[in-house]
Amino acid sequence: MKILVIGDSCIDEFIYCDIERICPEAPVPVLKPIRSQQNPGMASNVVTNLKALGVKVDLVTNTSQIKKTRYVDIRSGQMAMRVDKNDKCDPIQSLASTGKAMPYYIVKNSNHDAIIISDYCKGFLKTYDIQQIAEIANCPVFLDTKKQLGEWCKDINFIKINEFEHKKNFETIPNYPNLVDKLIITRGSKGCEHKNKLYPVPKVPIKDVSGAGDTFLAGLVVEYLKNNNIEQAIKFANKCATKVVQKRGVTTL
């Protein structure tokens, strides 16, 4: 099994702090860093999860570094602050100047079993980029995007969005009836919805949801390629996400 992942990547950094008091100069906590941890994030986190599932992966992503730093109370696990550095990246066309093959060429001549587009809206992909990739792909295409959905998604096979993103798209989705059956809506502790059917998840102690959507997406695609059954794939993806939310930080399978 070989999968092509296209999308924005970042570094997820967690700085675990001792928080014992409020600053006397302002109503903010005083953070004393104890330890830190870094993980590949966004599209790169999808790749990490796919590899953990035993899949060969090619990644087309930004070369500039985006970093998300989360300051977390070491005792409670509560996030006190998040700082995003270099929150925008160069578009996918910029890869041509690095000597790498253009992504469209990779897609057109692809021998991949599936393509995952992990679009975090950091500037790497425009709607026309995603539309063109889906049009020329010769394998199933899965999309996870923060963008407003529209006709540009018509050739995507499945679109994974979370509950907040679904609400944001709620008024426009009826204008594109061909997209409705493509939607896979993750609803947090309630599970996942597809074609108005809810796939529940067991109640577990949730320590951190960071990166859980990437894990869900990786599990979904791998299981779908194995069995060509989207219901079975959703159930497996739910199990994958349920495991990682019980751990702190961005964790993988």
Side-chain angles (χ1 to χ4, degrees), residues 15-76:
I15 299 178
Y16 294 95
C17 304
D18 191 4
I19 303 177
E20 293 184 337
R21 63 191 181 95
I22 298 299
C23 176
E25 293 92 0
V28 294
V30 177
L31 311 178
K32 294 182 179 180
I34 304 297
R35 62 181 176 86
S36 64
Q37 176 183 339
Q38 290 189 350
N39 307 91
M42 301 195 302
S44 290
N45 188 40
V46 176
V47 171
T48 303
N49 279 276
L50 289 170
K51 289 181 176 179
L53 290 167
V55 176
K56 294 180 180 179
V57 189
D58 289 322
L59 173 63
V60 177
T61 191
N62 48 291
T63 54
S64 57
Q65 187 181 85
I66 296 171
K67 181 182 280 189
K68 300 178 183 179
T69 303
R70 299 168 176 87
Y71 293 84
V72 182
D73 178 29
I74 199 166
R75 282 184 287 271
S76 67

Side-chain angles (χ1 to χ4, degrees), residues 1-3 113-114 140 220-228:
M1 192 182 297
K2 191 176 181 182
I3 295 174
D113 298 295
L220 179 80
V221 177
V222 170
E223 190 66 17
Y224 181 79
L225 291 180
K226 285 181 179 179
N227 299 288
N228 196 31

Side-chain angles (χ1 to χ4, degrees), residues 79-95:
M79 190 190 309
M81 180 173 61
R82 177 175 136 179
V83 179
D84 289 2
K85 185 178 180 182
N86 300 329
D87 200 39
K88 292 293 181 182
C89 62
D90 294 330
I92 193 170
Q93 288 79 12
S94 66
L95 295 182

Side-chain angles (χ1 to χ4, degrees), residues 212-213 215-216 236-246 253:
T215 301
F216 178 95
F236 179 74
N238 273 344
K239 288 181 181 180
C240 294
T242 299
K243 285 188 176 184
V244 299
V245 297
Q246 297 180 67
L253 295 166

Side-chain angles (χ1 to χ4, degrees), residues 79-165:
M79 190 190 309
M81 180 173 61
R82 177 175 136 179
V83 179
D84 289 2
K85 185 178 180 182
N86 300 329
D87 200 39
K88 292 293 181 182
C89 62
D90 294 330
I92 193 170
Q93 288 79 12
S94 66
L95 295 182
S97 62
T98 66
K100 297 180 180 179
M102 281 301 293
Y104 306 127
Y105 176 84
I106 296 173
V107 172
K108 190 172 183 179
N109 297 275
S110 168
N111 62 348
H112 298 88
D113 298 295
I115 296 174
I116 296 175
I117 301 174
S118 179
D119 173 36
Y120 274 81
C121 270
K122 301 300 182 182
F124 189 65
L125 293 167
K126 305 296 184 186
T127 55
Y128 59 80
D129 296 317
I130 299 173
Q131 182 175 351
Q132 185 173 4
I133 290 168
E135 284 176 354
I136 63 177
N138 54 13
C139 60
V141 179
F142 294 77
L143 171 65
D144 183 359
T145 184
K146 309 296 182 188
K147 290 182 173 58
Q148 196 78 20
L149 302 180
E151 187 64 21
W152 58 274
C153 303
K154 62 184 176 62
D155 292 311
I156 301 291
N157 295 89
F158 294 102
I159 303 169
K160 178 257 172 197
I161 56 176
N162 61 34
E163 192 166 29
F164 172 77
E165 292 156 359

